[in-house]
Amino acid sequence: RQQRQQRQRGGSDPSTATDVPAADDDDDTAGPHDGEDEARTIPLQYQRPSEQESVQRAQAFFEQMQQRRSVRAFSADPIPKSVVDDVIATAGTAPSGANQQPWTFLVVRSQQLRSAIRAIVEAEEQINYRKRMGDKWVQDLAHLKTNWEKPYLDTAPVLVLVMKQVHGTQPDGSRQPHYYASESVSIAAGLLLTAAHNAGLVTLTSTPLNAGAKLRQLLKRPNNERVELLMPLGYPASGCHVPDISKKPLADIMIEY
């Protein structure tokens, strides 16, 4: 655990380009800019693999991730705490706008809280399915056999609420702007999903429509946080089935120039 925390503090991850000129999107060597004229740097910890190893690793990882599925039937078997910790820590390695890291991951194990979360979500989902979503949306979900009932919310041993911090707070109490917060949190959630699958866990990226404010109140979270995703985490139930669907082939999602 100590080694993982040291890696987090010392890691360096180059950012992708954005449409904002001169934006320092992922400065892993510092938090909010401290006024120094030049950013501090550290040597990149990197060992280039051979071309053959790269090909093998890319293929093996694709084959592993190709087995990932969204699951709605969970075993109640507990997850080792260290596994959950490492999954969340991996999500926290994501790049973010100006390295603001505008996320909080709420890990809920309490049965009482999980049941309360289910009650809040289902109450809103009944209204969503009957009124807010509209016929077309409901029809488009029909092949996935989803409805307003969410029994997995109190069956899965862990719920993770991915929270977006719309702004931070400076030491003097003033607001600290967060840049590209939605994009940053989305990348972190993708890493969480990947880390969970790599650890042998299953999950589901659910969006608790219109339930965010009540969930924030239940969990006593500050007003600058918003619920982005609600992800049950655990092992699949015995005999678990998933929808018979497929992903688009590479030719349909990639355009080369």
Side-chain angles (χ1 to χ4, degrees), residues 115-135:
S115 296
I117 289 170
R118 177 183 177 182
I120 289 171
V121 171
E122 287 188 336
E124 292 296 333
E125 283 286 79
Q126 287 189 64
I127 302 171
N128 293 336
Y129 272 81
R130 293 171 182 171
K131 297 180 179 180
R132 296 174 179 141
M133 292 166 59
D135 292 342

Side-chain angles (χ1 to χ4, degrees), residues 40-115:
R40 291 169 292 160
T41 64
I42 58 174
L44 174 66
Q45 300 298 309
Y46 174 78
Q47 183 174 354
R48 179 171 174 171
S50 68
E51 183 174 327
Q52 180 181 10
E53 185 182 357
S54 257
V55 169
Q56 291 173 342
R57 284 164 58 175
Q59 178 65 28
F61 189 69
F62 166 66
E63 290 174 355
Q64 179 186 5
M65 294 308 300
Q66 200 173 27
Q67 301 304 310
R68 187 208 62 78
R69 297 300 306 270
S70 294
V71 168
R72 292 175 173 82
F74 286 79
S75 163
D77 293 344
I79 310 169
K81 183 180 185 303
S82 64
V83 173
V84 177
D85 289 353
D86 282 334
V87 166
I88 300 299
T90 299
T93 68
S96 60
N99 194 37
Q100 294 292 340
Q101 303 168 64
W103 46 65
T104 308
F105 302 95
L106 310 182
V107 177
V108 181
R109 295 184 177 87
S110 161
Q111 179 66 64
Q112 182 178 1
L113 281 177
R114 285 186 283 128
S115 296

Side-chain angles (χ1 to χ4, degrees), residues 151-171:
Y152 53 80
L153 291 178
D154 58 11
T155 303
V158 171
L159 299 181
V160 178
L161 287 85
V162 181
M163 310 295 285
K164 176 179 70 176
Q165 300 170 9
V166 294
H167 64 81
T169 304
Q170 299 272 24

Side-chain angles (χ1 to χ4, degrees), residues 71 73-80 83 156-157 199-203 233-238 240:
V71 168
F74 286 79
S75 163
D77 293 344
I79 310 169
V83 173
L201 303 176
V202 295
T203 187
L233 205 61
Y235 304 101
S238 178
C240 175

Side-chain angles (χ1 to χ4, degrees), residues 202-239:
V202 295
T203 187
L204 166 71
T205 52
S206 68
T207 50
L209 186 65
N210 294 103
K214 292 178 181 178
L215 293 175
R216 191 174 69 237
Q217 182 179 16
L218 172 70
L219 299 171
K220 298 179 172 60
R221 300 308 303 163
N223 289 333
N224 70 319
E225 291 186 353
R226 303 288 185 273
V227 180
E228 288 288 288
L229 290 172
L230 173 55
M231 301 174 67
L233 205 61
Y235 304 101
S238 178

